[in-house]
């Protein structure tokens, strides 16, 4: 494979890894605002699912904290907890809609965001651009002493 082809593949992989990260961060930011503002969609959904409205405030604060943890440099263990929390939020939303008898029009997107959260976490760079690129390409991992 030529150097140019490898470079294009590397750039393509780098761009592809940003798709789930961007989707999760955008959905989390919008969802946090909607939950905290208690827009009519949130009120109607919570009423339909049987959740008290104060739960929207809890979710909005949790999503805001997750965003802060993910976007703040450093603190890798805090980021792990933030991603885990988002998987519970989106997985719980999908499960709640399924339990309420809703169709895929209601539970498919939360399920997608739970999967995207797993992908976003899995594709986070660990130790810099070069290391992340090598891992994405299936290359060697750094040796730790």
């Amino acid at each position: 494979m030529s150097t140019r082809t490898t470079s294009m593949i590397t750039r393509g992989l780098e761009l592809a890894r940003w798709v789930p990260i961007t989707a999760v961060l955008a959905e989390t930011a919008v969802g946090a605002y909607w939950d905290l503002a208690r827009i009519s969609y949130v009120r109607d959904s919570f009423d339909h699912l049987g959740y008290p409205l104060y739960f929207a405030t809890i979710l909005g604060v949790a999503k805001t904290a997750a965003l802060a943890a993910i976007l703040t440099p450093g603190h890798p263990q805090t980021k792990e907890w933030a991603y885990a929390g988002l998987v519970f939020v989106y997985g719980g939303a999908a499960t709640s809609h399924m339990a309420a008898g809703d169709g895929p029009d209601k539970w498919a997107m939360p399920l997608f965001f739970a999967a995207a959260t797993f992908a976003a976490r899995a594709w986070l760079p660990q130790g810099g651009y070069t290391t992340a690129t090598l891992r994405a390409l299936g290359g060697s991992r750094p040796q730790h002493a």
Side-chain angles (χ1 to χ4, degrees), residues 25 65-87 117 120-121 124-126:
L25 293 177
L67 279 173
I70 291 168
L71 294 173
T72 303
H75 311 288
Q77 194 168 23
T78 304
K79 290 181 192 313
E80 294 279 342
W81 282 99
Y83 278 109
L86 291 176
V87 168
T117 302
R121 173 56 197 100
L124 270 181
Q126 304 289 324

Side-chain angles (χ1 to χ4, degrees), residues 8-69:
M8 287 175 55
I9 290 171
T10 301
R11 277 189 248 141
L13 288 170
E14 181 67 21
L15 181 63
R17 98 177 162 84
W18 283 102
V19 172
I21 293 169
T22 303
V24 168
L25 293 177
E27 168 59 25
T28 302
V30 169
Y33 171 75
W34 284 9
D35 289 343
L36 293 171
R38 295 184 179 182
I39 66 168
S40 61
Y41 175 78
V42 169
R43 290 192 312 266
D44 293 343
S45 294
F46 276 58
D47 185 48
H48 168 70
L49 295 172
Y51 290 122
L53 201 51
Y54 67 82
F55 191 55
T57 303
I58 294 169
L59 286 175
V61 169
K63 290 174 185 176
T64 303
L67 279 173

Side-chain angles (χ1 to χ4, degrees), residues 118-141:
F118 272 115
R121 173 56 197 100
W123 290 346
L124 270 181
Q126 304 289 324
Y129 179 80
T130 306
T131 304
T133 303
L134 282 173
R135 284 189 192 156
L137 293 172
S140 64
R141 296 176 183 232

